[in-house]
Amino acid sequence: MKSIIIFITVLCFSFTISAKMLNVYTEEFPPYQVRLSPKNITGISTTLVKGLLDEVNIPYKIHVLPWYRSYHNALKEKNALLYSVARTKEREDIFEWIMPLCDINVSFFWKKDNNKISISSVKDAKKYVVSVASGQPSELHLKKHGFSTDDNLVILASHEQGLGLLSKGRVDVIFAADLFIKNLTQEEFFNKLKLESFTIKALSKKLYLAANKSSDPNLIQSLKRTAILQMNKSKKDKVCSDISDS
């Protein structure tokens, strides 16, 4: 009798989570998330997320939006997922943390031929006009250290915009993820741009797949259990390191 009850419970749960399409939110953030077309999303984090959701066998749709929109959609929509999101102290209690993805390092970048710039601390960077992407922990970090849009901070929708302004001399420095900048500077438009950098260790974080805090507990448990199994047998660390070393 107990076995029958367990079977029925599992069957009902499977029907509940498979009957609805999960919305998965992210941003264009190479090499973590790469949009080749509206229906073809790839990248190292996307590969890990798709592997998990395919294993759980839940229908889902990945929405690639500006980070601010993806972040706030995930905050307000029950059962919504979000990646790749840095797990910070400020965010700890507002999401369910499903699965770690890859590491991220954040640095100040400036043009190598600009001899007027020298940065070896956050304090040094305050002497210059710095661009940062909106809604990222890096934005909060700079504001906590006294950066202001009235003085030395330019907040943009994307790091691509920041790199474009840097190349034209309209900002002095950009504050962004290392792998993202490395990926951008390999593209034709930026491949002649030579950069110096200084990494802020305090912002070196693990990126995660997270879920809305009000999500179905059964869904969360299923995702977390499957994530543990996937991590134990997968080559996740190799996937991340292959991109980092390329």
Side-chain angles (χ1 to χ4, degrees), residues 22-80:
L22 279 183
N23 286 320
V24 183
Y25 294 101
T26 189
E27 66 172 335
E28 179 84 6
F29 190 40
Y32 302 99
Q33 295 96 242
V34 182
R35 177 167 51 186
L36 300 179
S37 71
K39 293 184 179 181
N40 187 4
I41 316 301
T42 184
I44 51 177
S45 290
T46 301
T47 297
L48 297 170
V49 171
K50 284 182 175 180
L52 171 65
L53 296 177
D54 290 342
E55 183 70 21
V56 178
N57 195 27
I58 303 174
Y60 62 91
K61 182 177 181 180
I62 297 177
H63 304 269
V64 182
L65 303 170
W67 181 250
Y68 181 87
R69 287 178 58 195
S70 283
Y71 188 86
H72 285 276
N73 283 351
L75 278 179
K76 68 183 181 181
E77 184 180 320
K78 185 177 179 180
N79 295 331

Side-chain angles (χ1 to χ4, degrees), residues 81-136:
L81 304 181
L82 176 70
Y83 78 100
S84 300
V85 55
R87 187 169 184 172
T88 64
K89 180 180 179 181
E90 293 78 13
R91 293 170 173 170
E92 184 65 34
D93 295 329
I94 62 176
F95 287 109
E96 287 286 346
W97 301 94
I98 304 299
M99 179 175 71
L101 302 172
C102 293
D103 296 321
I104 188 170
N105 294 312
V106 179
S107 302
F108 291 106
F109 293 89
W110 63 96
K111 290 196 288 187
K112 193 170 186 177
D113 60 5
N114 191 340
N115 297 322
K116 296 180 180 180
I117 296 180
S118 177
I119 298 175
S120 57
S121 67
V122 176
K123 184 178 179 180
D124 289 341
K126 293 178 71 174
K127 304 171 188 175
Y128 313 106
V129 177
V130 180
S131 75
V132 68
S134 175
Q136 303 287 358

